Amino acid sequence: MTETPRASIILGITGGIAAYKAAELARLLVKAGYAVQPVMTAAATHFIGPATLQALTGRPVLTELWGRPPTPTLPTSGEGANAGSKPINDGMDHIHASREADLIVVAPATADFMARLAHGRADDLLSTLCLARACPLMLAPAMNREMWANRATQRNLAQLIEDGVHIIGPDSGEQACGETGLGRMREPQAIFDAVAAMLFDGVLAGKRVLITAGPTYEPIDPVRGITNLSSGKMGYALAAAAREAGAAVTLVSGPTALATPAGVARLNVTTASEMFDAVMERIAGQDVFISVAAVADYRPTEAGAHKIKKSEQPLTLALTPNKDILASVAALPKAPFCVGFAAETEKLLEHAEAKRRKKRVPMLVANLAQHTLGADQAEVVVLDDQGSQTLPPADKLTQARRIVVHLARLLR
Ligand code: CTP
């Protein structure tokens, strides 16, 4: 697998006892498919060994403003969710690193680090990266309750918030020093959730997205038809996720029992031909077309006007191929950015990549049909010109949000 665009995060760690929890945060971020570059202050290295962060992220930990990072002893390409990206290692490391990052998250952020940031100091690598950044910055403060309550810290906090820095936590509870109060770092899972939400926010703002979802139903006679097991859940989750991400979403849906996601314009169709017409009538002006529907490949050549009566003789049904909606949209002179889906039952990567090339779409999401149809959880593989990336199992809305983030990065 080669590298695909995915959100890059600088994980800053400063010198507090909560630094050990940064390891769990790094693990969660890497597992979710983010590229994580750990950066530690000198003080942080007294609380947790850089080797731990290097092992979890597959990248050398950066600590020094001057000089090159240590030679990696772990693989940095070819395997592992976080492998494959170039570590930063020339004289302008801080500029490159802060330009490439989609987010800097500092967890834990000590009182001293907050003070330095509030004053725009750049006296070590991490504070320099923060000052040189062109991306959002999130801090997860962690300190003794008296230090947190101190007017100087509160003054710095107010300044950082005014400067647009996002603060998560701290929590209240028992502290390492034995006291109880406000100052504990938020749990890694909570920080992870905040990071995922921030990277997702508004990524499709101003975009128009047309999505097909659900099965189609091809009548044989007035009471029978050909359909498939698609539930429509993935397409509806994508419509909800694209809407959450700021897009104006139109959903062209085959027959499903699902509720329309809030803020989404829905149009119901039954057959593949109706779906084709509904899409073609609305495709002009769309920025993105996401073809999730399980469109029937064939329809009965002639649908009987009356119920077919049973007889003892074998019955042969003549079928006519339906038009391929996705391939037709992708072939338009002013085609929107097209995303296809592929449900396969074997040789997933091979069949999916062949389908992506045949339909000439820049992005295709593939899954194993027997694991996904009607299920609430899905593991999917995203294929694009750069290669493939596996998105680990998650509920369909989480998966849809990850697909939207991937799509937004390709659109850029
Ligand atoms: N698709 C479409 N119109 C069709 C058939 C498929 O738009 N008539 C789209 C689907 O929405 C999906 C992609 O094409 O995004 C792949 O669908 P899939 O059923 O997996 O592939 P097929 O092209 O039908 O190939 P096969 O059934 O042979 O695997």
Side-chain angles (χ1 to χ4, degrees):
M1 288 188 193
T2 51
E3 194 190 352
T4 26
R6 55 178 175 254
S8 304
I9 297 170
I10 291 176
L11 173 59
I13 304 162
T14 67
I17 185 66
Y20 76 93
K21 291 187 182 175
E24 173 62 3
L25 176 58
R27 192 187 69 78
L28 290 170
L29 292 170
V30 169
K31 192 170 147 236
Y34 296 116
V36 180
Q37 173 62 62
V39 179
M40 297 173 77
T41 62
T45 61
H46 294 291
F47 290 92
I48 181 169
T52 304
L53 272 302
Q54 181 173 329
L56 287 167
T57 62
R59 292 185 183 211
V61 174
L62 304 178
T63 50
E64 311 248 336
L65 187 51
W66 305 107
R68 286 162 182 268
T71 310
T73 53
L74 290 163
T76 54
S77 67
E79 55 188 56
N82 197 41
S85 310
K86 186 168 67 70
I88 321 126
N89 64 356
D90 65 20
M92 299 299 280
D93 289 351
H94 52 286
I95 301 293
H96 291 313
S98 56
R99 287 297 170 276
E100 284 171 11
D102 293 290
L103 175 71
I104 301 178
V105 53
V106 181
T110 59
D112 176 64
F113 190 73
M114 289 175 65
R116 287 194 283 131
L117 275 190
H119 288 87
R121 300 286 298 268
D123 47 8
D124 65 5
L125 178 61
L126 186 56
S127 55
T128 306
L129 286 172
C130 291
L131 198 62
R133 77 184 187 280
C135 64
L137 170 63
M138 183 189 287
L139 303 183
M143 64 198 73
N144 164 272
R145 67 186 175 93
E146 299 286 9
M147 290 171 89
W148 176 253
N150 190 288
R151 288 175 64 174
T153 304
Q154 291 301 310
R155 209 163 47 234
N156 293 333
L157 174 69
Q159 182 63 57
L160 290 168
I161 292 171
E162 196 185 318
D163 293 346
V165 176
H166 302 267
I167 308 288
I168 168 149
D171 272 345
S172 192
E174 199 182 326
Q175 302 201 305
C177 52
E179 297 178 9
T180 302
L182 204 58
R184 273 167 62 109
M185 188 172 89
R186 290 294 303 273
E187 289 305 318
Q189 185 65 51
I191 301 172
F192 171 84
D193 291 342
V195 165
M198 178 167 291
L199 287 171
F200 180 73
D201 228 17
V203 284
L204 289 182
K207 301 288 181 203
R208 296 184 67 201
V209 178
L210 182 68
I211 300 176
T212 63
T216 63
Y217 177 90
E218 313 297 325
I220 295 171
D221 69 19
V223 295
R224 305 181 182 95
I226 299 173
T227 187
N228 57 64
L229 290 175
S230 168
S231 64
K233 285 179 190 166
M234 193 69 218
Y236 278 59
L238 263 160
R243 177 76 200 108
E244 274 178 21
V249 180
T250 306
L251 180 63
V252 176
S253 176
T256 73
L258 301 172
T260 311
V264 168
R266 168 171 162 187
L267 188 91
N268 292 327
V269 295
T270 303
T271 65
S273 304
E274 286 170 18
M275 188 174 273
F276 182 92
D277 292 344
V279 167
M280 287 305 173
E281 274 164 28
R282 288 163 184 80
I283 202 68
Q286 298 289 339
D287 300 293
V288 178
F289 175 57
I290 311 180
S291 184
V292 198
V295 187
D297 290 330
Y298 299 91
R299 63 176 180 278
T301 306
E302 275 177 54
H306 298 286
K307 193 177 168 199
I308 300 172
K309 286 293 176 193
K310 183 169 62 183
S311 87
E312 295 305 313
Q313 298 305 311
L315 178 70
T316 305
L317 211 54
L319 299 176
T320 301
N322 281 323
K323 281 186 273 193
D324 191 307
I325 305 172
L326 176 60
S328 308
V329 171
L332 289 172
K334 285 186 182 168
F337 184 92
C338 289
V339 181
F341 270 69
E344 305 292 343
T345 54
E346 54 163 1
K347 296 184 186 156
L348 181 66
L349 280 183
E350 197 183 313
H351 286 173
E353 183 56 17
K355 206 167 271 185
R356 190 178 81 87
R357 290 184 185 280
K358 187 170 155 220
K359 303 201 183 200
R360 296 175 184 273
V361 294
M363 176 173 161
L364 189 125
V365 182
N367 58 56
L368 280 172
Q370 56 272 45
H371 293 174
T372 317
L373 273 177
D376 291 320
Q377 293 266 324
E379 175 182 284
V380 302
V381 182
V382 182
L383 298 112
D384 56 35
D385 287 344
Q386 317 288 316
S388 64
Q389 187 188 345
T390 301
L391 304 182
D395 62 274
K396 287 184 175 174
L397 185 58
T398 303
Q399 213 61 292
R401 289 178 179 139
R402 291 174 181 163
I403 292 167
V404 162
V405 168
H406 193 103
L407 155 69
R409 286 176 68 79
L410 290 183
L411 272 181
R412 270 194 262 149

